[in-house]
Amino acid sequence: MLFNSLDFAIFLPIVFILYWFVAKENLKLQNVLIVVASYVFYAWWDWRFLSLILFSTIVDYIVGLKLRTEEKQSNRKVFLWTSIIVNLGFLGFFKYYNFFLENFASAYSLFGMEINANSLNIILPVGISFYTFQTLSYTIDVYKNKLEPTQDFIAFSAFVCFFPQLVAGPIERAANLLPQFYKERTFEYHKAVDGMRQILWGLFKKVVIADNCAVFANQIFNNSVDMNGSTLVLGAIFFTFQIYGDFSGYSDIAIGTSRLFGLDLKQNFATPYFSRDIAEFWRRWHISLSKWFRDYLYIPLGGSRGGAKMKIRNTFAIFLVSGFWHGANWTFIAWGALNALYFIPLLLSNNNRNNLNALAEGKTLPSLRELIAMLSTFLLTVFAWIFFRAENINHAFSYIGGIFSSSILSMPNINEKGTALVTVCLIVLFLMLEWVNRIHNHGLYRVFENSNFYRRVVYFILVFLIITHISSEQEFIYFQF
Amino acid sequence: MMKKFIFKVIIELLLYSLILMLIIFSFRMFYFNQEFPMWKSKSDYIERGNISKNLILGDSRANAGFSPIGYQKNYYNLSLGGSTTIEAYYTLIKVLENNKIENIILSFAPFHFQYHDTFLNRTLKFGFFESDKELFEVIRTSFYYNDLFFGNKSNDKLILFYNYFKAYNYYYKNPITLLPELKNLIYMPKRYFLNKEVYNKIKKQKGHYLYGESNSSSGIANEGGLLIFKASPVLSHYFYNILELASENNIQLYYIATPFNNSTFQMINEKYFESYNDYFKKIKSDYPAFHWHEKLFYYPDSCFGDASHLNAKGLEMFHNKVMLIIKE
């Protein structure tokens, strides 16, 4: 079920009413309702893959209980590895099987050996990368005695499959979400109202910004050979906003929806395009995944404690795995590698934690220095997104070659220039609202606080923009990851 | 708190819906395409009264093919792009309420006797019907003949009812049905001025409007892909209603087909022509006073501004032909 569909518009109020009126004051029943609603939400896409979630849930629940009672370290390790193998096994099979097969076959053919590699027609289960990481973090935390394993199977199931964040995150930690399923929830008016605002903001980002930019990004990337340099730059910029609007829009809707049910999810994006360097960008972009890799990969590898060589190795490890997590394609690995190259100079010069303070704090506009830093970081990310969006490595290089040609000085040449211009205006409106709310959780947190009328005008404009753009239900990009 | 929240959400939704409905009803010239001012100019003409005694009723091909300026008698072209005998019948009903009509030229593309492709998107969206009684009448006729003239043919009653439900949604301007057009408010800020221009132009030209403006078109009109002419029972029903109404009011009714372009004509098979002629012969035998003036024919591609509509050169050629018929 897509957030931007009529199905969800009907589904959400029904679950909301059942949750607060029927299952009211009955924690167990509320949790059961969340599990059932989440399974319905997932089955709407393909019921067959529910078995994967259920199996993963049972395995990690049992592993958690075993880790609680088992004291012998070697046995504990066996349980941990059981969970890791099951979870990563599913992920590896469904997501990476064909990739490895094809690359092994290509590698063998380089040595003149032909192997018969029959790729399988595998459907990638939606959200598998997200819930796999979520359950893995639970087992690892229990193994490291950072978390008390749960004995409540329903609460654990709700933690694994909680429908707002099931298919595209944020990737929640058990330490944050699981305890919320133990506590009695009371309806909080202001939380729910702000949740609605965040849903509205998320829909605006997805339906208006991302889907509009997608039209032009697709047009330009799919015909990049025939486009001049300036058009290719424009295509990369459109994709930059498409991917951000799409993914952060999903997170906003997920967080807002959770708040309607009295549950808090972690912030996943914090105005990343206002970052002053790449390190700050990665503290603001897909925060739940970055932190996951930091805690379960980077730090166990030694983090930044060792010498320069180790720092470089660990940085490459985290960025390459992060790239590969996004998809079984060399383009994602190249995207990760490029980000590692951006990041390493900051790390080696100890400048990776320079910009921890809020941007332009207490000021309306950034200083010139901040502006230049923001723009240069933005351009670096735009450049990296080319690899992310390209069909393959050759396409990425030919795209970049097209940009750095004499035609970069010519006028952009795209169809429907008027629509493109309006889209640019909408992006500007979007950035303005993001800027005003850069220290808050979402772009509608504070809008015309002193005027009820103007605030409603803004809401109406957003609602109007959403309903006029929602005619075609576009899938979220991150579903494929 | 919970009740307050739900109450607030409902109130906000109602408020936004109200504003949306206000926009939908008040700014139609701002978001509809250029067909809307054409339809509007004609309904305004009828509303103003003092209507010409000689009318042209038909679809967009008639709209482009009959230019009343220069006819000996005072004609006015009330053709509506994409319309069928249904709209022609209800136009005639409206006109006859306060006026006396002497002659009517009727002209539709053969395709428009078979299927109504713009019933939802123009007739209902543009608010052609004056009341839901008229729509109910059309729906009832459709149900009687089991003929879904505006949707995919199906014997399934559920599909039939779903389409009727859809029709009422369009009639009552459910905002969901207008979403593609409302987008024009954002992306086409000049839409109002373009529509106003079309409105004034069509008013000045006594209802005539040239669609395609190319020097030539070898595009294939809808009939090019059809194997046989089989009139929709509902559209036929309204054709007979027009004939009946004309007979009751002593109106001379002329049926003059507009030409195809050569490219389309070559693609139409013989059976199609035969079944089309048989259909009109039957009507002529039922209503001997009905003047059926032309079998299907063609002009060179250079006379067409697009696949279906005459350009200025084609109009001139056809104009001479129409003048002769009127003279007769």
Side-chain angles (χ1 to χ4, degrees):
Chain A
M1 200 182 291
L2 296 172
F3 281 160
N4 51 335
S5 67
L6 188 62
D7 302 336
F8 187 72
I10 297 166
F11 170 84
L12 183 61
I14 292 173
V15 180
F16 180 84
I17 299 287
L18 290 176
Y19 185 84
W20 288 115
F21 288 96
V22 179
K24 189 183 162 191
E25 289 169 14
N26 185 336
L27 184 65
K28 200 90 188 165
L29 198 57
Q30 281 186 330
N31 287 346
V32 169
L33 183 68
I34 282 180
V35 174
V36 172
S38 301
Y39 283 178
V40 170
F41 179 85
Y42 194 82
W44 218 258
W45 169 71
D46 194 330
W47 61 269
R48 291 170 303 171
F49 292 111
L50 274 179
S51 54
L52 282 184
I53 300 180
L54 195 62
F55 187 72
S56 218
T57 309
I58 293 169
V59 167
D60 286 297
Y61 175 71
I62 294 170
V63 166
L65 291 180
K66 291 283 179 196
L67 286 171
R68 185 171 183 252
T69 50
E70 186 59 58
E71 285 179 2
K72 205 173 161 194
Q73 194 54 26
S74 59
N75 285 351
R76 284 173 64 78
K77 259 195 182 153
V78 170
F79 289 128
L80 173 70
W81 279 102
T82 306
S83 166
I84 292 175
I85 288 166
V86 166
N87 285 303
L88 292 185
F90 280 145
L91 186 63
F93 174 74
F94 284 102
K95 198 166 174 177
Y96 301 108
Y97 175 82
N98 284 338
F99 174 79
F100 281 119
L101 195 72
E102 283 157 20
N103 280 283
F104 274 128
S106 306
Y108 270 95
S109 69
L110 282 179
F111 298 103
M113 288 180 281
E114 292 297 325
I115 57 164
N116 189 15
N118 292 327
S119 58
L120 298 176
N121 188 16
I122 301 171
I123 304 169
L124 180 68
V126 164
I128 190 167
S129 309
F130 292 90
Y131 68 75
T132 298
F133 271 38
Q134 192 154 308
T135 51
L136 267 181
S137 75
Y138 167 79
T139 322
I140 297 169
D141 285 352
V142 171
Y143 173 77
K144 288 182 171 175
N145 294 319
K146 286 183 181 170
L147 185 76
E148 188 65 23
T150 181
Q151 289 177 294
D152 183 343
F153 182 70
I154 297 297
F156 183 69
S157 300
F159 157 72
V160 176
C161 70
F162 185 40
F163 73 88
Q165 44 89 241
L166 172 61
V167 292
I171 301 166
E172 278 297 321
R173 298 297 178 78
N176 174 52
L177 188 56
L178 197 51
Q180 295 186 56
F181 288 112
Y182 305 147
K183 282 184 217 148
E184 199 171 295
R185 268 95 65 185
T186 48
F187 182 81
E188 288 175 51
Y189 177 78
H190 292 291
K191 200 185 215 179
V193 168
D194 194 51
M196 288 295 282
R197 277 201 291 253
Q198 196 157 0
I199 293 173
L200 181 64
W201 183 241
L203 280 172
F204 170 70
K205 277 171 159 180
K206 162 63 186 163
V207 176
V208 182
I209 299 297
D211 291 350
N212 252 356
C213 288
V215 174
F216 298 102
N218 292 341
Q219 188 194 115
I220 295 167
F221 271 88
N222 294 345
N223 304 291
S224 58
V225 182
D226 308 320
M227 301 286 179
N228 62 29
S230 57
T231 312
L232 294 175
V233 171
L234 209 57
I237 292 173
F238 275 125
F239 181 70
T240 300
F241 285 102
Q242 182 199 346
I243 188 91
Y244 176 49
D246 193 288
F247 191 23
S248 70
Y250 191 95
S251 291
D252 279 326
I253 301 168
I255 296 166
T257 305
S258 304
R259 302 192 86 193
L260 293 180
F261 294 91
L263 295 157
D264 286 311
L265 301 181
K266 293 273 186 202
Q267 189 180 13
N268 211 16
F269 291 84
T271 58
Y273 290 153
F274 297 143
S275 302
R276 288 153 289 182
D277 60 42
I278 283 294
E280 188 184 14
F281 175 82
W282 280 106
R283 284 194 295 276
R284 290 167 171 269
W285 177 274
H286 201 174
I287 300 165
S288 62
L289 182 72
S290 304
K291 283 189 175 169
W292 198 99
F293 280 124
R294 184 196 66 192
D295 295 345
Y296 301 109
L297 185 67
Y298 188 69
I299 293 173
L301 283 174
S304 53
R305 283 193 298 274
K309 259 188 187 172
M310 197 167 165
K311 282 180 183 173
I312 292 170
R313 185 200 71 177
N314 293 348
T315 305
F316 264 108
I318 188 176
F319 278 107
L320 291 180
V321 174
S322 169
F324 200 48
W325 176 88
H326 282 87
N329 193 327
W330 287 103
T331 50
F332 295 118
I333 297 171
W335 169 75
L338 187 57
N339 275 288
L341 289 175
Y342 291 162
F343 189 83
I344 285 168
L346 293 172
L347 184 68
L348 294 180
S349 60
N350 281 328
N351 285 321
N352 59 318
R353 298 184 72 78
N354 278 357
N355 293 310
L356 294 174
N357 60 328
L359 174 64
E361 202 170 5
K363 290 186 287 181
T364 312
L365 293 170
S367 65
L368 186 63
R369 193 185 159 151
E370 282 172 327
L371 188 67
I372 291 168
M374 273 162 50
L375 281 176
S376 46
T377 309
F378 178 75
L379 289 176
L380 287 174
T381 54
V382 170
F383 185 74
W385 287 129
I386 294 171
F387 285 93
F388 197 92
R389 173 60 180 80
E391 298 298 322
N392 50 52
I393 289 287
N394 288 340
H395 182 209
F397 282 117
S398 79
Y399 195 100
I400 292 163
I403 289 177
F404 294 106
S405 65
S406 55
S407 64
I408 195 166
L409 299 172
S410 49
M411 283 296 283
N413 184 21
I414 47 172
N415 298 335
E416 297 181 59
K417 284 193 178 70
T419 312
L421 196 67
V422 175
T423 305
V424 171
C425 294
L426 290 170
I427 291 172
V428 171
L429 169 77
F430 159 64
L431 287 177
M432 278 165 58
L433 285 169
E434 283 247 301
W435 177 259
V436 172
N437 288 288
R438 62 192 178 280
I439 56 164
H440 301 295
N441 286 340
H442 59 87
L444 289 182
Y445 190 85
R446 279 190 176 172
V447 181
F448 291 111
E449 275 183 302
N450 302 324
S451 167
N452 220 1
F453 175 75
Y454 286 120
R455 199 166 60 245
R456 260 164 193 77
V457 169
V458 172
Y459 293 165
F460 177 74
I461 290 170
L462 296 188
V463 169
F464 183 77
L465 286 168
I466 291 164
I467 61 164
T468 50
H469 285 77
I470 211 162
S471 47
S472 55
E473 291 168 8
Q474 299 280 343
E475 271 210 356
F476 288 82
I477 295 179
Y478 264 68
F479 279 15
Q480 60 186 295
F481 305 140
Chain B
M1 276 300 171
M2 167 75 75
K3 280 179 189 158
K4 187 184 166 190
F5 174 75
I6 293 174
F7 179 73
K8 199 177 166 185
V9 169
I10 292 170
I11 290 293
E12 296 249 345
L13 286 176
L14 284 176
L15 181 72
Y16 296 154
S17 307
L18 193 72
I19 300 171
L20 193 63
M21 292 313 278
L22 270 174
I23 292 174
I24 284 171
F25 284 104
S26 316
F27 297 96
R28 296 195 295 175
M29 284 285 265
F30 286 81
Y31 61 82
F32 274 134
N33 65 19
Q34 65 162 20
E35 280 293 340
F36 177 73
M38 293 190 206
W39 284 56
K40 184 172 159 52
S41 79
K42 294 179 184 182
S43 81
D44 287 355
Y45 173 76
I46 298 169
E47 294 236 321
R48 276 196 298 271
N50 195 19
I51 288 169
S52 167
K53 286 187 166 48
N54 311 293
L55 298 175
I56 299 151
L57 297 173
D59 54 15
S60 62
R61 293 187 201 179
N63 215 357
F66 297 90
S67 175
I69 296 171
Y71 288 3
Q72 291 100 330
K73 286 185 177 173
N74 182 25
Y75 268 85
Y76 199 94
N77 192 337
L78 283 179
S79 303
L80 301 167
S83 71
T84 61
T85 47
I86 294 174
E87 291 78 8
Y89 171 70
Y90 283 106
T91 302
L92 197 53
I93 292 266
K94 276 174 219 169
V95 166
L96 289 173
E97 273 173 18
N98 301 309
N99 303 277
K100 173 94 183 85
I101 302 298
E102 289 171 0
N103 299 295
I104 287 176
I105 296 174
L106 207 58
S107 179
F108 289 101
F111 167 73
H112 277 141
F113 284 101
Q114 297 178 260
Y115 181 67
H116 197 333
D117 57 338
T118 58
F119 185 67
L120 298 176
N121 281 321
R122 290 187 194 166
T123 311
L124 298 180
K125 272 190 185 177
F126 293 168
F128 173 80
F129 291 125
E130 282 192 337
S131 71
D132 55 4
K133 275 184 196 155
E134 291 177 349
L135 174 62
F136 180 72
E137 186 57 41
V138 174
I139 296 286
R140 201 170 62 173
T141 311
S142 164
F143 188 69
Y144 175 78
Y145 289 107
N146 195 17
D147 172 27
L148 193 59
F149 63 97
F150 62 92
N152 292 330
K153 303 284 177 208
S154 169
N155 288 324
D156 191 337
K157 284 273 182 287
L158 255 178
I159 293 178
L160 212 61
F161 281 117
Y162 167 71
N163 277 282
Y164 296 155
F165 171 73
K166 205 163 136 184
Y168 274 96
N169 263 295
Y170 276 74
Y171 176 80
Y172 285 113
K173 310 280 178 291
N174 177 343
I176 293 171
T177 64
L178 288 164
L179 295 183
E181 284 85 3
L182 288 172
K183 225 171 166 179
N184 288 337
L185 283 172
I186 306 154
Y187 293 101
M188 300 201 71
K190 286 182 186 165
R191 171 57 73 197
Y192 173 79
F193 301 102
L194 294 171
N195 280 350
K196 199 76 197 160
E197 204 178 301
V198 170
Y199 182 90
N200 291 333
K201 195 172 176 181
I202 213 157
K203 198 171 154 190
K204 210 168 129 188
Q205 294 176 166
K206 299 177 90 174
H208 169 256
Y209 190 82
L210 277 180
Y211 282 79
E213 300 201 344
S214 305
N215 291 328
S216 177
S217 173
S218 56
I220 308 298
N222 286 326
E223 290 82 356
L226 300 173
L227 295 173
I228 195 159
F229 177 85
K230 191 169 180 284
S232 140
V234 173
L235 301 177
S236 262
H237 171 90
Y238 282 96
F239 193 8
Y240 275 93
N241 278 0
I242 294 170
L243 290 159
E244 202 59 44
L245 209 55
S247 153
E248 282 168 13
N249 291 277
N250 292 322
I251 301 168
Q252 292 298 309
L253 194 63
Y254 302 86
Y255 191 89
I256 307 174
T258 56
F260 286 111
N261 67 353
N262 189 19
S263 299
T264 302
F265 197 80
Q266 301 311 326
M267 283 193 72
I268 302 174
N269 72 37
E270 205 51 49
K271 259 195 164 168
Y272 192 87
F273 291 126
E274 277 172 25
S275 41
Y276 175 84
N277 288 335
D278 289 346
Y279 176 73
F280 273 86
K281 275 177 198 161
K282 167 86 173 60
I283 287 174
K284 178 78 184 154
S285 71
D286 291 345
Y287 287 86
F290 168 60
H291 306 275
W292 176 36
H293 268 271
E294 198 57 69
K295 291 180 181 175
L296 298 176
F297 65 109
Y298 71 92
Y299 279 177
D301 287 354
S302 59
C303 293
F304 285 78
D306 61 30
S308 309
H309 305 106
L310 291 166
N311 60 16
K313 181 186 165 193
L315 174 68
E316 201 182 322
M317 271 175 80
F318 187 60
H319 185 80
N320 296 334
K321 194 181 183 90
V322 175
M323 293 290 278
L324 278 174
I325 294 169
I326 292 174
K327 213 174 180 182
E328 275 174 27

